Amino acid sequence: MNEDQTSDPIADDARLSAWLDGELDPSERTTMDELYATDAEWARARDHTASVRDIVRALPDVEPPEGFLESLLTIEEGATVTDLEAARARRNRRSTGVVAVLAVAAALLIAIVVPNVTRSRPALATDVRVHQAGVAASGDPVSGLAPLGASMRLGR
């Protein structure tokens, strides 16, 4: 919006039109009646809108020119007719192609940029010591046997 254009909260309020059409429930109508009685700007907006509506409603009905409606329903020679289903199918194929290209590009980028994963051995001794400290603090004698089993090499 330009600086010189401002939004008119009264003109944008749908309650004014609903009040004029008698579409408000009684409590809303009472609220709007009080607003019109106490606020001159709202009362002017109501009167202005009502007078414009009366003028427009008083205009005579206008018949369209002869052949106007038929011209809307016929396709003129040389006019371009678009098959919407075919256009949607083309758009979907194009979208699928773009998504496939992006997926391939992302896979290549990940393969190139992501460094190789190095294999490392867990710090088993550290894990055993942490476990032993926790068991010692808890006073559970059965859990204290777990480090003994971890150091055994079963099956060799």
Side-chain angles (χ1 to χ4, degrees):
M1 227 185 310
N2 294 339
E3 289 179 22
D4 57 334
Q5 292 178 332
T6 59
S7 177
D8 183 4
I10 295 175
D12 292 341
D13 196 317
R15 294 178 300 173
L16 191 141
S17 180
W19 185 89
L20 290 169
D21 290 338
E23 297 173 347
L24 294 178
D25 62 47
S27 66
E28 287 179 315
R29 179 133 184 119
T30 303
T31 301
M32 292 306 291
D33 287 339
E34 291 170 1
L35 185 61
Y36 295 138
T38 58
D39 191 328
E41 188 175 353
W42 274 92
R44 274 194 303 278
R46 178 203 56 203
D47 296 342
H48 176 73
T49 303
S51 65
V52 169
R53 290 164 58 115
D54 292 342
I55 291 169
V56 170
R57 288 179 177 163
L59 292 173
D61 291 336
V62 178
E63 290 294 321
E66 189 174 321
F68 176 74
L69 296 177
E70 292 80 13
S71 71
L72 293 176
L73 299 174
T74 61
I75 299 172
E76 295 182 19
E77 187 177 327
T80 303
V81 179
T82 302
D83 180 4
L84 293 178
E85 290 302 319
R88 285 186 187 114
R90 280 192 305 274
R91 186 181 65 228
N92 288 342
R93 280 193 305 271
R94 197 173 0 187
S95 298
T96 303
V98 168
V99 169
V101 167
L102 290 174
V104 169
L108 287 174
L109 183 64
I110 289 171
I112 293 169
V113 172
V114 175
N116 291 335
V117 177
T118 58
R119 302 236 179 235
S120 64
R121 295 180 182 230
L124 188 57
T126 303
D127 291 341
V128 168
R129 280 193 301 271
V130 169
H131 177 70
Q132 286 174 337
V135 168
S138 71
D140 181 13
V142 175
S143 296
L145 299 176
L148 296 176
S151 62
M152 292 184 200
R153 297 183 186 256
L154 301 174
R156 285 196 181 184

